[in-house]
Amino acid sequence: ICPPLWFYTGVKRDYVIIPRVYCSCKSFVINVMSRKNVKTCRHLLIQAIGEENGLYREAAINDLDTLYKIVKEILDLGISPTLRRVLHSGKR
């Protein structure tokens, strides 16, 4: 069973988030995982606050090829045109 994936869409970059576990941002990789000088990054904090207060948009992406493409785009390019199309079209 795959944990729920969240995506943080910023102005210039997007991030893959596994709540309370992982964020693909540089701050998480450097400061949380490597240096261990903080416990989390701001994207994980924002995700937790958003989830707690219902301040998020939900898009159920049931096609694994599309989900894979979104994650790959974010990790390779830093932004996912596919995710933005899905969110703006309302298509799931």
Side-chain angles (χ1 to χ4, degrees), residues 33-73:
M33 293 179 66
S34 296
R35 294 181 182 157
K36 300 181 193 290
N37 60 357
V38 293
K39 295 185 186 230
T40 192
C41 69
R42 69 186 191 113
H43 306 105
L44 283 172
L45 287 173
I46 291 168
Q47 183 279 325
I49 291 167
E51 183 176 18
E52 187 175 304
N53 294 292
L55 302 171
Y56 60 92
R57 289 180 55 194
E58 190 170 338
I61 302 167
N62 298 317
D63 176 31
L64 289 179
D65 289 334
T66 302
L67 184 60
Y68 175 80
K69 184 176 182 179
I70 290 169
V71 171
K72 185 164 177 34
E73 287 174 348

Side-chain angles (χ1 to χ4, degrees), residues 7 10 15 22-23 40 42 52 60 69 74 76 91:
F7 300 104
Y15 303 104
Y22 172 79
C23 179
T40 192
R42 69 186 191 113
E52 187 175 304
K69 184 176 182 179
I74 292 172
D76 291 349
K91 184 180 174 184

Side-chain angles (χ1 to χ4, degrees), residues 12-39:
K12 295 181 181 180
R13 298 191 64 83
D14 298 333
Y15 303 104
V16 177
I17 294 174
I18 300 173
R20 295 172 292 286
V21 175
Y22 172 79
C23 179
S24 64
C25 74
K26 287 182 183 180
S27 177
F28 183 84
V29 173
I30 293 169
N31 295 314
V32 177
M33 293 179 66
S34 296
R35 294 181 182 157
K36 300 181 193 290
N37 60 357
V38 293
K39 295 185 186 230

Side-chain angles (χ1 to χ4, degrees), residues 8-15 42 74 77-80 84:
Y8 178 94
T9 54
V11 175
K12 295 181 181 180
R13 298 191 64 83
D14 298 333
Y15 303 104
R42 69 186 191 113
I74 292 172
L77 306 173
I79 194 166
S80 174
R84 288 163 186 258

